[in-house]
Structure formats: structure tokens, C-alpha cells
Amino acid sequence: MIEVKEVKTRKEQKVFLNFALDLYKGNPYFVPPLYADERKMFRKDYVYRDSCEWTFFVAYKDGVPAGRIQCIIQKDANAKNGEKRCRFCRFDAIDDLEVSRALFATAEEWARAKGMDTVVGPLNFSDLEREGMLVEGFEEPATFEENYNFSYYKDHVEALGYRKEIDWTASRLYGPENQESFLEMEQLVAFIFKRYKLHYGTAKSGPDLLKKYADGIFDLLDVSYEGLYGTVPFTQGMRKLVLENFAMVISPKHTAVILDQNEKIVCFGLSFPGLAPALVGTRGKYTPLTLLKLLYYIKNPDILDLCLVGVDPEYLNRGVSGALSLAIMKMLQDNPRLKWADTNLNLEDNYAILNQWRRFKREECKRYRSYVKTL
């Protein structure tokens, strides 16, 4: 017998959080989120309380947890786009279509009761969190910023009437295609900088970088991400959340900020040490051993995770983003420990960012999908 229950108590919250950790125990490709961050969703002062409404469900088969799903109404996104959409995320289940059917039927019923006419996902509170369902690349390790799921998830949601809305691709960048390409890029960037009176920003440390450029980066994010799929306006709470999450890992060595003659940011790229190896095989909790591993990879990264990229629309077709590509190439060349840079998820129709990587030796290794169903 399959029964779906809405999460109400602390005990049920623990069941919800632990389900995926138990399901993927021993899986070398799954990277757990930080448990403390996931627990914040249940707090009354969580940063998205003003902009979202959400709930959680757990499916039980013969009394044993067999699946879970979260439903989110992102009110800012719906208002921005004139839609009545309910997002689903944190969907995990055993390989039993009836379990998935029960979860989605319950989610859809909740969405209808809230006046929604469409269910879409996996999409989170915002694109600052993990999103998308893995549909290709099941034997590739996830990054800290990416979901991982078994291949049957795709079969389940498609059997339940969900269709593709859009895909993201994830690639590895190994450096410039060749030395000639690198030299051409250097010359091109020098020409563009001179023509538009641009220069790279500098900072002594991560805190110094955030102090000097954080506000400009957030302002540019709002402008450059406005038309992208699934994005929402950055609230003050979201800005604070980003700063809290990034403060420990951000470094000028892994960041590129391009400024105009008035010190205004026109392009930026934030990358962070790849932390996935420190968390694989753990439950995302801050044990002494996990903390030691995290500190090690923060100081001695062998992979870079490219997390946020923004370009002022005014400079979008002026080649300015080439300065960002050049900076990433130099990061890879200057640190022999670095194997590659992970792009994380890039929308398949975001040609501006995809063109950004064309001068790199690039390997597309994963594909993620957002599904949609009209109720």
C-alpha cells in the first residue's frame, strides 16, 4: 500500500531530509547538499518566506519511506511572467512508478488547490539553488551545485505526462583550444579594453572583493539574468544568503571583474573551488573530518566550479565577455593542480554563454531537463 503524507512534524522533516541521503548511500556520483542549509527551509524566518509558498510530501510504501517531493509557488516569478505555476523539486523515489504517480498526483492536487494551472520542474526557490533533472551523464560526478538522480526518474515523469520544457548542459573546460587561440584572445581583449576603456578589478582577499564589488555584481545579475528561464529578481534576503554562502570560498584568484573607466562593473565571473570530493560519501553534515576536507579543497582545489557569470547588455555584443574567457584560461594555466573548470548548468538556448566557451577545449558531459505539465 502506498500512502502520501504532508510533512508537518520535526520527525517527518527528518524523514524528508534523510530520504535522498539513504537512497544514494554509497553512490560515487551523488553529492549531498549541506544538511544545515537544507534544514533552514523549515524555519519561519527562511529567506524565501516573503516570495514563496511551499510544502513537502513523503510517500510511504507498506509503512517505509519510498519517495519525497517539494512543491513551491514562486510568487515573484509568477508575477513577473504572468503565470500560475507550481514548481516541484527535491523529488526522489525508489524505482516504482506507482510511488512516483502517488507523489505527483498529490503535488498536482496541492497546486490546483492553490489556484495554479501548471506544474514545472525540477525548479527550486530560485536559480541560486540546484535545479533540473539529470537526463544524460549518469556516470559523471555531480558538482556541489548540481543535482544527481537515477536514470529512471526521467522515465517516471514522462510516463506521468510531463514533457520537456528546456534543457541545460554542463561541460568541462580544459583550457584554450591551442596556444595560437590563447594569443589571439590576449590580443583581442587588449584591443577591446583599449577601445572601451576597460580594466580588470583587483582585490586583496575574498572579503575585500565582496566589499568592493558585491553590490555591483548583484545589480548586474538582476539585469543580465532578467530574461533567462526560471530566474527571479534578487531580493535583499537573497543577496544576504549569497554573501553568507560564498564568503568562505570566494577568492580574487578565481574571480574576474571587468570595470569601465568609472569603475562600474560591465562583466564578471565568479568561480569557486570544487568542493564535491569533500562531500561525496558523507551526509552533508559538518563532522570534523568533513570540515578538514572542505578546508583542504578550498585551499588546494583541483577543479574550479563556475557559478555566476554576468554581462551588461550594453556590452553583450562588443566582445567584452572574451576578457572573462581569457581570465579563466589563465586560472587554469597558472595553477598546475587544476584539472578543469566545470561550467555547471548552462541553458541550451543561452547562446551568449555557450559562445563564451567556444575557444576552450570543451567536453559536454551532462544534460539536465526541466519538465512541464498543464493541469
Side-chain angles (χ1 to χ4, degrees):
M1 184 181 77
I2 298 172
E3 181 183 15
V4 178
K5 295 182 180 180
E6 189 171 11
V7 172
K8 298 287 189 182
T9 68
R10 283 185 174 272
K11 183 178 179 180
E12 290 167 343
Q13 292 172 8
K14 188 175 180 180
V15 171
F16 183 90
L17 294 175
N18 287 340
F19 179 77
L21 303 177
D22 294 334
L23 184 66
Y24 289 98
K25 185 177 181 180
N27 187 298
Y29 311 119
F30 172 75
V31 180
L34 293 175
Y35 198 86
D37 288 346
E38 291 290 277
R39 281 208 62 84
K40 291 178 183 177
M41 296 184 298
F42 298 102
R43 288 169 38 175
K44 292 182 179 180
D45 63 347
Y46 191 47
V47 66
Y48 292 104
R49 283 288 175 191
D50 292 338
S51 60
C52 299
E53 183 178 357
W54 65 90
T55 191
F56 310 86
F57 296 101
V58 174
Y60 298 82
K61 182 175 181 179
D62 300 327
V64 178
R68 69 172 192 170
I69 196 168
Q70 181 181 7
C71 304
I72 300 173
I73 297 174
Q74 220 312 339
K75 292 181 282 188
D76 285 351
N78 282 346
K80 170 187 168 185
N81 300 312
E83 297 171 332
K84 296 180 179 180
R85 289 189 160 201
C86 174
R87 300 178 171 198
F88 78 86
C89 64
R90 294 177 177 83
F91 162 64
D92 292 288
I94 62 173
D95 191 5
D96 184 329
L97 179 58
E98 296 311 308
V99 169
S100 296
R101 190 188 307 279
L103 282 168
F104 276 93
T106 304
E108 291 163 12
E109 181 181 352
W110 185 85
R112 287 192 193 94
K114 296 294 181 179
M116 301 297 106
D117 58 21
T118 306
V119 176
V120 62
L123 290 176
N124 219 308
F125 295 104
S126 76
D127 59 320
L128 294 177
E129 289 83 32
R130 297 180 180 187
E131 57 189 353
M133 181 175 291
L134 184 65
V135 294
E136 293 178 14
F138 299 103
E139 294 184 357
E140 296 288 347
T143 69
F144 177 66
E145 294 79 16
E146 293 172 346
N147 282 323
Y148 181 82
N149 56 261
F150 292 125
S151 59
Y152 61 79
Y153 282 34
K154 173 180 180 290
D155 300 330
H156 284 202
V157 298
E158 291 179 1
L160 297 173
Y162 287 79
R163 59 177 176 80
K164 170 188 170 179
E165 182 159 63
I166 201 164
D167 280 2
W168 296 264
T169 61
S171 302
R172 291 178 185 143
L173 308 178
Y174 293 96
E177 188 65 42
N178 50 56
Q179 190 61 23
E180 181 180 339
S181 177
F182 178 75
L183 294 175
E184 288 177 357
M185 182 66 78
E186 281 192 315
Q187 293 171 357
L188 175 63
V189 170
F191 171 77
I192 290 170
F193 272 28
K194 183 176 181 180
R195 180 175 184 180
Y196 297 113
K197 300 179 180 179
L198 305 176
H199 61 280
Y200 286 110
T202 60
K204 298 176 182 178
S205 64
D208 184 44
L209 186 147
L210 291 174
K211 182 180 179 180
K212 293 171 72 172
Y213 303 123
D215 287 342
I217 287 173
F218 284 125
D219 291 343
L220 186 51
L221 273 174
D222 264 339
V223 174
S224 59
Y225 280 40
E226 184 179 10
L228 296 182
Y229 177 82
T231 59
V232 298
F234 272 74
T235 64
Q236 288 301 316
M238 289 168 64
R239 293 186 180 207
K240 182 181 177 184
L241 180 67
V242 171
L243 292 175
E244 289 174 351
N245 290 344
F246 290 172
M248 188 172 71
V249 295
I250 197 166
S251 167
K253 293 188 299 183
H254 305 139
T255 302
V257 178
I258 293 95
L259 309 169
D260 67 11
Q261 59 184 332
N262 299 313
E263 300 299 302
K264 178 187 174 184
I265 298 176
V266 300
C267 180
F268 73 88
L270 303 183
S271 62
F272 309 107
L275 302 180
L279 294 166
V280 170
T282 74
R283 297 177 72 83
K285 295 185 177 181
Y286 286 123
T287 66
L289 180 58
T290 301
L291 281 171
L292 285 173
K293 287 182 177 180
L294 285 170
L295 290 172
Y296 175 81
Y297 281 104
I298 289 171
K299 292 183 178 180
N300 305 283
D302 56 8
I303 296 169
L304 283 183
D305 285 355
L306 308 183
C307 294
L308 292 173
V309 175
V311 182
D312 189 325
E314 183 181 343
Y315 287 85
L316 200 56
N317 297 314
R318 299 183 183 181
V320 172
S321 60
L324 177 57
S325 294
L326 179 63
I328 296 170
M329 290 177 183
K330 288 183 176 179
M331 292 176 201
L332 292 169
Q333 285 189 341
D334 293 346
N335 186 346
R337 282 185 56 87
L338 291 174
K339 301 174 185 175
W340 63 74
D342 274 305
T343 65
N344 286 298
L345 275 61
N346 296 155
L347 285 163
E348 64 180 350
D349 62 354
N350 187 352
Y351 303 112
I353 193 67
L354 294 177
N355 285 336
Q356 182 88 17
W357 315 135
R358 62 187 175 86
R359 291 181 181 269
F360 287 85
K361 296 177 185 175
R362 174 179 170 230
E363 175 191 7
E364 186 179 299
C365 51
K366 285 167 281 189
R367 179 172 290 266
Y368 289 80
R369 182 160 297 164
S370 180
Y371 286 91
V372 64
K373 181 179 180 179
T374 303
L375 300 179

